[in-house]
Amino acid sequence: MRIIRYLKALSSAQLAAVTDEGKVYELPQQDFLTLLKEAEAADSSPLALVEKLTAGAQPLSQSLEQLELLVPIEAPEVWAAGVTYERSREARNYEATGGRMDASTFYDKVYDAERPELFFKSTAARTVGPGGEVQLRSDSEWQIPEPELALVLDGQGRIVGYTIGNDMSCRDIEGENPLYLPQAKVWKRSCSIGPAIRLTETVEDPYSLQITCRIYRDGNKVVEGSASTGQLKRKLEELTSYLVRDNEIFEGTVLMTGTCIVPPNEFTLADGDRVEIEISGIGTLVNPVVRAS
Ligand code: DO4
Ligand code: MG
């Protein structure tokens, strides 16, 4: 079972549930956070509440593909984990050492350390949804999307759903100095999530999800890569346990779990590109890329 938001009438957002058969049912709650709160108040899981609300209801006549999807949750905060896959460690080492790859770096250290790398990535205002434009920084020459499994958390840091995240990143800025990480990661429209939230109980094994990233330029596919969440070095609860530690977590916080797909080193995103990130069972997040305005 997946939860989406779509544009119903001019500027009115509608929450809906999508079954595995692709049937779409409107939900009465105005957003995912309200659904979470009502489920908690009823001492029920979000899935049980959705099943109760949709039992015997009439599905929409439109299919999912015919709807104009919006960001599925206006996450108050988006956090991200880094260097959680071997491929990310290798790519970070490349950009930090100018490709020498001879000395051990802090990326090697954090990959093996008990404490994971977690960083603040975005706020609702900086985050776009399906079809929304992600923006390039004007002061970077080496920018890439980072396709990541993203966790939707309740106020206690429990995983209530899975979505797709794009952690847009500037490899040159981070490579120049790791203290520039916030600038390499956070700017206007540098984060995308969606297109749907798959409820936790409906995911049999979050460590066997297939992630595929495709980048199109002038209608041609210029990058394609795939990975599995089975390659993740850490457990999802390990990441959430560090995020909640001595922290205030807001209902609907999103935590991206790190990237395992990095485009070839000579590649940088350009104005007009289109990024597609697909995760099995969740959907495909599509975003056009635009230069800073
Ligand atoms: O240290 C840099 C961040 C790495 C990252 O975002 C990732 O591995 O996905
Ligand atoms: Mg990342």
Side-chain angles (χ1 to χ4, degrees):
M1 184 77 78
R2 289 176 293 165
I3 306 297
I4 55 161
R5 268 170 84 236
Y6 68 92
L7 197 61
K8 190 170 177 185
L10 222 49
S11 75
S12 123
Q14 174 67 50
L15 195 71
V18 185
T19 64
D20 287 349
E21 296 72 44
K23 292 202 169 85
V24 183
Y25 294 89
E26 288 189 352
L27 293 172
Q29 291 79 12
Q30 65 172 32
D31 53 33
F32 187 73
L33 295 182
T34 311
L35 180 77
L36 273 190
K37 282 189 193 122
E38 286 186 18
E40 260 170 45
D43 209 16
S44 140
S45 70
L47 177 63
L49 179 60
V50 170
E51 282 175 341
K52 196 168 138 194
L53 290 165
T54 55
Q58 204 44 39
L60 282 191
S61 55
Q62 290 134 297
S63 67
L64 184 58
E65 292 67 36
Q66 291 171 306
L67 301 174
E68 191 176 328
L69 297 184
L70 302 170
V71 69
I73 182 169
E74 290 187 342
E77 294 185 344
V78 179
W79 291 75
V83 201
T84 50
Y85 290 90
E86 175 61 42
R87 177 70 187 104
S88 178
R89 159 162 71 170
E90 184 187 288
R92 304 293 81 96
N93 278 341
Y94 181 90
E95 63 214 26
T97 62
R100 288 193 317 276
M101 312 288 276
D102 44 5
S104 130
T105 67
F106 38 81
Y107 295 110
D108 296 311
K109 275 193 189 167
V110 83
Y111 185 75
D112 291 321
E114 193 179 330
R115 182 190 294 272
E117 177 197 4
L118 295 180
F119 58 92
F120 190 81
K121 171 66 189 177
S122 195
T123 54
R126 294 186 181 88
T127 304
V128 303
E133 292 170 341
V134 286
Q135 190 169 299
L136 298 170
R137 268 194 86 108
S138 60
D139 56 358
S140 167
E141 303 294 320
W142 197 13
Q143 304 189 60
I144 56 163
E146 290 193 353
E148 309 191 5
L149 174 68
L151 315 175
V152 182
L153 309 178
D154 69 9
Q156 285 153 72
R158 292 177 301 208
I159 304 168
V160 292
Y162 300 97
T163 189
I164 302 173
N166 177 356
D167 169 23
M168 293 280 287
S169 300
C170 300
R171 297 187 69 181
D172 47 357
I173 296 180
E174 181 177 347
E176 185 180 343
N177 190 323
L179 296 179
Y180 294 151
L181 186 75
Q183 294 174 77
K185 295 288 189 180
V186 186
W187 67 95
K188 190 161 116 186
R189 305 177 83 88
S190 67
C191 176
S192 172
I193 57 173
I197 298 170
R198 184 158 200 114
L199 296 176
T200 305
E201 301 106 300
T202 67
V203 175
E204 208 171 298
D205 179 9
Y207 301 101
S208 65
L209 302 176
Q210 282 303 308
I211 308 179
T212 303
C213 179
R214 303 176 205 95
I215 304 173
Y216 293 87
R217 183 165 297 166
D218 301 324
N220 303 312
K221 189 164 60 186
V222 289
V223 171
E224 178 160 23
S226 290
S228 162
T229 51
Q231 294 161 266
L232 190 60
K233 167 86 185 315
R234 299 183 186 262
K235 292 287 170 234
L236 301 176
E237 284 72 18
E238 188 184 341
L239 299 176
T240 57
S241 72
Y242 275 93
L243 182 64
V244 302
R245 190 179 290 185
D246 298 309
N247 197 5
E248 183 171 3
I249 293 297
F250 303 102
E251 196 99 27
T253 291
V254 168
L255 173 60
M256 303 209 255
T257 57
T259 192
C260 186
I261 302 172
V262 182
N265 290 329
E266 59 283 2
F267 177 84
T268 186
L269 283 169
D271 184 38
D273 286 355
R274 189 173 88 245
V275 179
E276 288 187 6
I277 305 172
E278 184 175 354
I279 300 189
S280 50
I282 302 177
T284 307
L285 176 62
V286 182
N287 296 105
V289 178
V290 297
R291 74 164 73 87
S293 50

